[in-house]
């Protein structure tokens, strides 16, 4: 049982985490801290929060579980603000889409203070993004059937990992573990690059004088392809910068593939164009089968 | 009333067109021709076709309406095969995603024969694609509420255009008119480029040794972004080549935008990265509002 849960950044993920733990009956009191007073008021109205704190330090005071659910760029600052008030037996989790940067920041902050230890921090990544953001989008079922990846630290005690795993499972999630570096590499390819590619396509079209006419004729294919371009700009800027090296590698591979495709098109290479499209179509259809099962 | 409808290429679009006209009660007999005997047998079993013809010429013999619904690369060949047997008062429509190439091919073929005229051909583009293809995917409701764009020729008689418009409306579609060159320009941007971009991303990932691991961690964002990469490879090869010039222009604009994004990322330009993402997110959210209304 969690006596007091502190949520730093009460958005879609942080809000849903609180709601899911409440519904599972494993949390008593939830205190929230965030930048937007209006958002925190919404969270209180929705029953996500019992109380709103005016600083990160006040939010974590006395908390046995702290969840940092702000955009990854804001995490180091929040950690620094919260650390002096953190209980020495509190468990700290984050929910960021990139892990190495957050781990490095947590290591510095928690080891700087004499009463806190990096072992308290369990890096987590729930795979449950959505275009909607803010507390208003939060719901108790968000993690139901979704994957949560934990990238454990060598310092984490088995009991701490087991406790965090059980909490995510109480939210209905399937928990797996992975090395942080491997995590960041994989998600650069299957999440961060697609977001960048969708942002780029929509930004390019939107910058044209005839943008309205283009969007007017967008069909379901365009709609699906660009859905993630509606995502939260600051959140994705932070993710892109936090996972910059892996993302640049992916972006280069993607641009090289586009350049190849351009050559095939410009030289009328029907055969190799078919091959490339067929390889993609086959892989994507296999993926549909896999996803349908999950 | 259509006495005899000939469908050349009985796939998702051609099959759905026949089913929709049947349900509307405006067609008596439907004859089909296509490359795959198995697909034609499916179409007959599904009640799409009353009869299967062994050549395009036999299919159009005596038909008052002919619908060419093959991949755009196969249209010139089908036109040439069918033209000698075409009635001089038959109306001919196509359903291709690009219009200028098909119009040029039809002009040559129909004016070569003394008994046919380009005025008989009405170029159409129903915006109702899907990843599924073949007769098995056809359904009478496919065009319900969808847009159909007609790119009329100067030679088309108003009565012919009115007849074709009425047929699509009988299928439940909203019909609009547009210049062919304008059509090809717009769809290069909002349809053909996104398909290319999705094919490129999936093909690139699929070519890696650790592809399975990547796909295993694909979330809903990746799924949406790449859904169109499951599309029919030959159909899209044909579309890409048929609309090559407009598509190369779009591809270049997209690559330039990706290169800009790469620079912002590599130089840690938080502010301009936020601006670019925010422009895309805002435009995509406006689009959601528009699409929700349509």
């Amino acid at each position: 049982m969690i006596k007091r849960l502190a949520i730093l950044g009460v958005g879609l993920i942080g809000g849903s985490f609180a709601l899911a733990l409440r519904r599972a009956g494993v949390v008593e009191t939830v205190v929230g801290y965030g930048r937007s007073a209006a958002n925190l008021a919404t969270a209180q109205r929705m029953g996500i929060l019992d109380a709103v704190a005016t600083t990160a330090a006040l939010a974590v005071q006395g908390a046995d579980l702290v969840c940092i659910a702000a955009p990854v760029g804001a995490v180091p600052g929040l950690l620094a603000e919260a650390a002096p008030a953190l209980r020495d037996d509190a468990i700290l989790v984050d929910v960021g889409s990139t892990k190495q940067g957050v781990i490095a920041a947590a290591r510095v902050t928690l080891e700087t203070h004499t009463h806190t230890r990096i072992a308290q921090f369990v890096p987590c990544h729930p795979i449950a993004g959505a275009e909607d953001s803010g507390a208003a989008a939060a719901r108790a079922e968000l993690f139901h059937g979704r994957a949560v990846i934990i990238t454990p630290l060598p310092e984490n005690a088995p009991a701490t990992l087991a406790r965090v795993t059980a909490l995510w499972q109480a939210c209905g999630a399937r928990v797996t573990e992975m090395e942080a570096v491997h995590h960041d590499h994989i998600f650069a390819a299957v999440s961060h690059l697609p977001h960048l590619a969708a942002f780029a396509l929509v930004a390019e079209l939107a910058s044209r004088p005839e943008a309205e006419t283009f969007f007017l004729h967008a069909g379901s294919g365009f709609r699906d392809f660009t859905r993630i371009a509606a995502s939260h700009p600051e959140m994705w800027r932070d993710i892109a910068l936090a996972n910059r090296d892996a993302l640049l590698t992916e972006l280069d591979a993607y641009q090289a593939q586009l350049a190849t495709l351009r050559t095939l098109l410009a030289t009328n290479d029907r055969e190799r164009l078919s091959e490339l499209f067929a390889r993609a179509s086959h892989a994507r259809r296999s993926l549909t089968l896999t996803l349908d099962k999950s």
Side-chain angles (χ1 to χ4, degrees), chain A:
Chain A
M1 189 63 155
I2 306 295
K3 288 256 179 222
R4 185 179 162 107
L5 165 65
I7 305 280
L8 308 184
V10 191
L12 170 70
I13 303 289
S16 297
F17 186 57
L19 286 175
L21 292 180
R22 265 198 207 284
R23 178 176 290 187
V26 297
V27 65
E28 277 179 20
T29 305
V30 184
V31 184
Y33 170 72
R35 284 179 308 173
S36 157
N39 181 63
L40 291 169
T42 300
Q44 244 182 322
R45 233 180 3 254
M46 289 172 67
I48 295 172
L49 303 179
D50 298 300
V52 165
T54 52
T55 68
L58 285 171
V60 306
Q61 208 152 55
D64 40 357
L65 179 66
V66 176
C67 174
I68 307 190
V72 291
V75 173
L78 282 170
L79 270 168
E81 287 175 49
L86 206 62
R87 270 170 49 173
D88 63 4
D89 63 347
I91 295 178
L92 193 65
V93 300
D94 82 321
V95 297
S97 297
T98 68
K99 304 272 52 117
Q100 292 173 92
V102 170
I103 291 170
R107 201 172 282 283
V108 169
T109 304
L110 297 177
E111 294 294 342
T112 301
H113 294 276
T114 49
H115 74 293
T116 58
R117 290 285 169 269
I118 184 63
Q120 295 176 251
F121 176 57
V122 180
C124 302
H125 177 201
I127 316 299
E131 302 83 55
D132 295 321
S133 53
R139 51 202 171 80
E141 315 76 37
L142 183 69
F143 306 110
H144 201 93
R146 301 300 193 92
V148 170
I149 299 174
I150 295 180
T151 62
L153 306 178
E155 293 88 348
N156 289 144
T160 306
L161 290 174
R163 185 120 193 256
V164 171
T165 299
L167 287 171
W168 284 115
Q169 286 168 342
C171 299
R174 293 175 290 112
V175 179
T176 54
E177 295 190 2
M178 195 185 287
E179 291 273 340
V181 58
H182 192 211
H183 169 279
D184 288 357
H185 177 48
I186 287 178
F187 284 89
V190 302
S191 172
H192 312 163
L193 175 64
H195 276 81
L196 244 64
F199 278 132
L201 191 114
V202 177
E204 203 285 312
L205 276 186
S207 68
R208 302 187 193 185
E210 69 276 52
E212 283 300 313
T213 311
F214 284 101
F215 289 135
L216 192 66
H217 291 97
S220 61
F222 184 85
R223 211 175 326 175
D224 285 345
F225 181 84
T226 60
R227 185 164 291 127
I228 50 180
S231 301
H232 195 288
E234 284 181 32
M235 180 181 139
W236 281 95
R237 173 203 61 194
D238 282 0
I239 291 171
L241 290 172
N243 202 18
R244 193 174 60 163
D245 293 345
L247 187 48
L248 285 173
T249 304
E250 293 302 326
L251 191 51
D252 290 345
Y254 183 48
Q255 284 186 289
Q257 183 71 274
L258 286 173
T260 300
L261 219 163
R262 192 194 190 288
T263 305
L264 298 183
L265 194 57
T267 58
N268 237 325
D269 194 333
R270 289 170 61 82
E271 202 171 318
R272 288 178 59 206
L273 213 47
S274 288
E275 274 170 28
L276 195 153
F277 288 0
R279 192 162 73 237
S281 179
H282 177 76
R284 185 57 183 79
R285 284 180 179 274
S286 313
L287 178 62
T288 303
L289 299 177
T290 310
L291 290 169
D292 285 351
K293 277 186 294 181
S294 74

